[in-house]
Amino acid sequence: MMEQYVKILKEHAIKITPQRLEVLKYLDTHRNHPTAYEIYEALKKDNPSLSKTTVYNSLEVLQRHDIIHSLTISGSELRYDFRTEVHHHFLCRKCGKIIDIDVGCPYMDEFLNGGHRVEEVHGYFKGICKECLKKKGE
Amino acid sequence: MMEQYVKILKEHAIKITPQRLEVLKYLDTHRNHPTAYEIYEALKKDNPSLSKTTVYNSLEVLQRHDIIHSLTISGSELRYDFRTEVHHHFLCRKCGKIIDIDVGCPYMDEFLNGGHRVEEVHGYFKGICKECLKKKGE
DNA sequence: TATAAAATTGTAATAGTTACAAATTTGTAA
DNA sequence: TTACAAATTTGTAACTATTACAATTTTATA
């Protein structure tokens, strides 16, 4: 159940706590780019004494070790993502959904010709998603 | 002096006010992706009665008419950009500077194969800029 | 099992942004 | 040019996401 998450934390020499395991598990099993608040609300059901600060702290430590990523796509709040290969994101203005765009830009390296050291790449697209376009037409 | 900005607002049928003209001029002449607060602080010098809300309102209307864009690159506050052709941005974690990356990704359209209608494209890179890398070595 | 270091909790503070009502300004038409 | 309705500006207060901090609890280790 939790062994896989224990393993991840151990590999990164992060102290193991139930809260961190739950946050990590939640992100692994909910790939819809939740906010810190959504994670907090969900985990509070099984652990009513959970603190919002703990969720933020857990997200921070997981992010620092590159186990998860945060997205700044919305501009008002951060979204969190279980780390996978580089991919991009589409934000639908209508329904608010954030959809994975599973293509890396093959020309990405060209952007780096300025001599900067690039550690993160974010591709954000915004518009109206396929489903909302369909609804509109009906 | 201001004629060019008057012209832009007229073309978009936006009511002309000194505040909007100043905000637009500021963004045209300061291409360093300032925050709303930075714009407010700068313009207050010549117009002490300027309200922060007015800056936000002006930015909102200019953005709605696609005259300026906002960047969510930092995650904590919005940055504003006088509209130009599609280009990307690099945020230096060390000095905080946001640098223009003047290359469009030629494979951008491929991302859209999901059938979504894309209205905005943001490419954000984060790392250490050339200048900060140089300083470190010294 | 004892202990030091680190994490969790709860509350309060902070930062960026938005809501709102009163006063002022804008564009238009007589 | 003047008058007026509609829109904008202003100032203050509210709101939301996030961070700071001190007291308590838990973790990893010996």
Side-chain angles (χ1 to χ4, degrees):
Chain A
M1 210 54 162
M2 279 301 188
E3 298 84 27
Q4 49 183 318
Y5 307 115
V6 172
K7 184 161 171 270
I8 293 174
L9 296 191
K10 273 190 178 154
E11 281 169 0
H12 289 267
I14 301 172
K15 209 164 265 191
I16 289 150
T17 71
Q19 293 88 342
R20 288 174 176 175
L21 290 173
E22 288 296 341
V23 167
L24 187 52
K25 179 185 179 187
Y26 186 88
L27 281 172
D28 186 23
T29 54
H30 297 80
R31 302 295 184 114
N32 58 336
H33 320 95
T35 62
Y37 185 71
E38 285 165 354
I39 299 167
Y40 167 69
E41 282 295 313
L43 299 185
K44 217 172 39 164
K45 284 175 190 148
D46 281 335
N47 175 8
S49 78
L50 178 66
S51 169
K52 214 180 293 180
T53 301
T54 301
V55 173
Y56 277 105
N57 287 344
S58 300
L59 290 168
E60 205 277 326
V61 72
L62 293 172
Q63 189 171 12
R64 186 146 36 78
H65 285 84
D66 214 38
I67 298 167
I68 66 174
H69 283 169
S70 66
L71 310 182
T72 64
I73 190 167
S74 96
S76 59
E77 80 283 302
L78 292 175
R79 301 305 195 112
Y80 294 89
D81 208 6
F82 197 88
R83 199 204 163 283
T84 56
E85 290 321 300
V86 169
H87 61 280
H88 299 315
H89 296 94
F90 179 93
L91 169 64
C92 177
R93 276 192 226 290
K94 203 84 167 222
C95 65
K97 220 186 302 176
I98 294 175
I99 299 165
D100 282 331
I101 303 291
D102 287 320
V103 186
C105 174
Y107 278 67
M108 231 140 53
D109 290 339
E110 276 193 22
F111 294 154
L112 318 183
N113 58 9
H116 314 304
R117 179 201 294 159
V118 172
E119 295 168 348
E120 274 184 55
V121 177
H122 298 251
Y124 297 148
F125 304 92
K126 306 186 189 183
I128 311 289
C129 78
K130 191 165 53 171
E131 281 70 29
C132 286
L133 284 175
K134 220 181 292 173
K135 276 176 211 153
K136 211 187 216 167
E138 283 163 15
Chain B
M1 210 56 163
M2 279 302 188
E3 296 84 28
Q4 49 183 317
Y5 306 116
V6 172
K7 183 160 170 271
I8 292 174
L9 296 191
K10 273 190 178 156
E11 282 169 359
H12 288 268
I14 302 173
K15 209 163 264 190
I16 290 150
T17 70
Q19 292 87 344
R20 289 174 176 176
L21 290 173
E22 288 296 343
V23 167
L24 187 53
K25 179 185 178 185
Y26 186 87
L27 281 172
D28 187 23
T29 54
H30 298 80
R31 302 294 185 115
N32 58 336
H33 320 95
T35 63
Y37 186 71
E38 285 165 353
I39 299 169
Y40 167 68
E41 282 294 313
L43 298 186
K44 217 172 38 164
K45 284 175 190 148
D46 281 334
N47 175 8
S49 79
L50 178 66
S51 169
K52 215 181 292 181
T53 302
T54 300
V55 173
Y56 277 105
N57 287 344
S58 300
L59 291 169
E60 204 277 326
V61 73
L62 293 172
Q63 189 171 13
R64 186 146 37 78
H65 285 84
D66 215 36
I67 298 167
I68 66 174
H69 283 168
S70 66
L71 311 181
T72 64
I73 190 168
S74 97
S76 59
E77 80 284 302
L78 292 175
R79 301 304 195 113
Y80 293 90
D81 208 5
F82 196 89
R83 200 203 161 283
T84 56
E85 290 318 301
V86 169
H87 61 281
H88 298 317
H89 297 93
F90 179 94
L91 169 64
C92 177
R93 275 192 227 289
K94 201 83 167 223
C95 65
K97 220 186 300 178
I98 295 175
I99 300 165
D100 282 330
I101 303 291
D102 288 319
V103 186
C105 174
Y107 277 68
M108 231 139 53
D109 289 341
E110 276 193 21
F111 293 153
L112 319 183
N113 58 9
H116 314 303
R117 180 201 294 157
V118 173
E119 295 168 348
E120 274 183 57
V121 178
H122 298 252
Y124 297 148
F125 305 91
K126 306 185 189 184
I128 310 290
C129 78
K130 191 166 53 172
E131 281 70 30
C132 286
L133 284 175
K134 219 181 292 173
K135 277 178 210 150
K136 210 187 216 168
E138 284 162 15

